Amino acid sequence: MLRDDQYWQAVQTRDSSADGTFFVAVKTTGIYCRPSCKSRMPKRTNVVFFQLPALAEAAGFRACKRCRPRDVALPDARAELVEAVCAHIHTQDAESLTLAGISAAVGYDASHVADVFKAVMGVTPHQYHDAQRIARFKTLLRAGVSVTDAIYAAGYSSTSRVYERSDSALGMTPATYRKGGAGAQIAFTGKASPFGVLVIAATDRGICHVGLYDDDQAGAAGVRAEYPQAQITRADADLVHLADRVLDHVLRGAPL
């Protein structure tokens, strides 16, 4: 596997031979591209690399309309399988999504699909689908869409399902999230990791933000950008155990 400095060299030279081996995402635009994309060269500090389009999209990035990174051939059979599974998941609602249906759609045994997807993505197909649906819901709320309209537009079948899970998914009610966290008291912490600074923020109802940043300052700004109307304070002693659990899960597969 290439190192980040080798990835960056390929981006700087717009190396088309690297297309499909990794994808480059730009934090300031929210877009990911092929290494050879002819778009304006980003600053290195604004760039993050992903092995698959699905991983970039799971992190909230959109595919570039100029270089169309989803159209590039992937050299790894496992990567191709994961991309096929993700493409199928995006066409399904939660009620119709089954592992048997996914395996039939992509032409592989169900246990093989489950094993490969978890190994590459770190989550099950259902967990991936749920994370994508929550991300869509939050995006719609931040855009000012009403809570009810956002619930159905994000693919939920009823309002009760969302309200039952609002604490675990949002750490607050959907209405409070829509208002930029107005009235909420949010504590956050940052912890160094091999991937950057892991930032976790929470209310007394649950976790409301998890992200990777270049440094503590950027992490604090990220929390404040998502919750501009909330009261936000740093509370390392109260939350460091959560950061440790997340890192143990990512690095060693420990249960959350």
Side-chain angles (χ1 to χ4, degrees):
M1 182 180 293
L2 297 176
R3 302 186 309 271
D4 280 6
D5 58 341
Q6 293 173 306
Y7 287 149
W8 179 236
Q9 178 63 30
V11 172
Q12 289 182 302
T13 58
R14 305 188 194 278
D15 184 1
S16 60
S17 68
D19 288 355
T21 61
F22 73 93
F23 299 84
V24 55
V26 183
K27 300 174 187 176
T28 50
T29 63
I31 292 172
Y32 75 94
C33 306
R34 307 182 189 203
S36 66
C37 185
K38 299 300 191 294
S39 297
R40 182 178 178 180
M41 188 65 61
K43 293 181 179 179
R44 175 64 184 89
T45 54
N46 293 331
V47 164
V48 61
F49 304 108
F50 294 95
Q51 299 300 308
L52 295 172
L55 291 171
E57 291 170 9
F61 293 94
R62 307 182 308 278
C64 175
K65 294 182 179 179
R66 181 171 186 174
C67 69
R68 304 176 68 87
R70 275 204 158 276
D71 292 346
V72 68
L74 299 175
D76 186 339
R78 297 201 322 164
E80 292 279 8
L81 173 57
V82 168
E83 283 298 315
V85 171
C86 289
H88 177 71
I89 287 174
H90 291 162
T91 68
Q92 306 298 304
D93 58 45
E95 285 68 31
S96 64
L97 187 69
T98 64
L99 185 57
I102 294 171
S103 61
V106 299
Y108 284 89
D109 178 75
S111 61
H112 179 69
V113 169
D115 290 345
V116 170
F117 195 91
K118 183 67 180 289
V120 173
M121 298 293 285
V123 294
T124 67
H126 276 89
Q127 289 170 328
Y128 173 81
H129 180 271
D130 195 40
Q132 293 297 296
R133 189 166 51 168
I134 290 170
R136 287 196 300 273
F137 181 53
K138 293 171 74 173
T139 297
L140 290 164
L141 291 178
R142 289 197 299 271
V145 177
S146 72
V147 173
T148 300
D149 288 347
I151 286 172
Y152 293 110
Y156 292 98
S157 60
S158 70
T159 58
S160 61
R161 289 178 178 271
V162 175
Y163 283 100
E164 287 168 1
R165 297 193 56 226
S166 63
D167 285 356
S168 62
L170 302 175
M172 61 189 69
T173 67
T176 299
Y177 186 87
R178 184 175 180 271
K179 296 174 183 176
Q185 295 186 348
I186 297 175
F188 77 95
T189 189
K191 185 177 180 63
S193 80
F195 317 106
V197 175
L198 172 67
V199 171
I200 294 180
T203 68
D204 59 358
R205 301 179 64 152
I207 293 174
C208 61
H209 182 97
V210 178
L212 288 170
Y213 296 90
D214 292 335
D215 52 42
D216 282 340
Q217 185 176 0
V223 176
R224 293 190 177 97
E226 186 169 7
Y227 301 101
Q229 304 303 319
Q231 180 180 335
I232 300 173
T233 57
R234 181 149 191 154
D236 294 331
D238 295 331
L239 296 176
V240 68
H241 69 288
L242 288 176
D244 288 338
R245 286 173 59 190
V246 171
L247 282 179
D248 282 344
H249 176 70
V250 172
L251 298 175
R252 289 174 282 276
L256 284 172

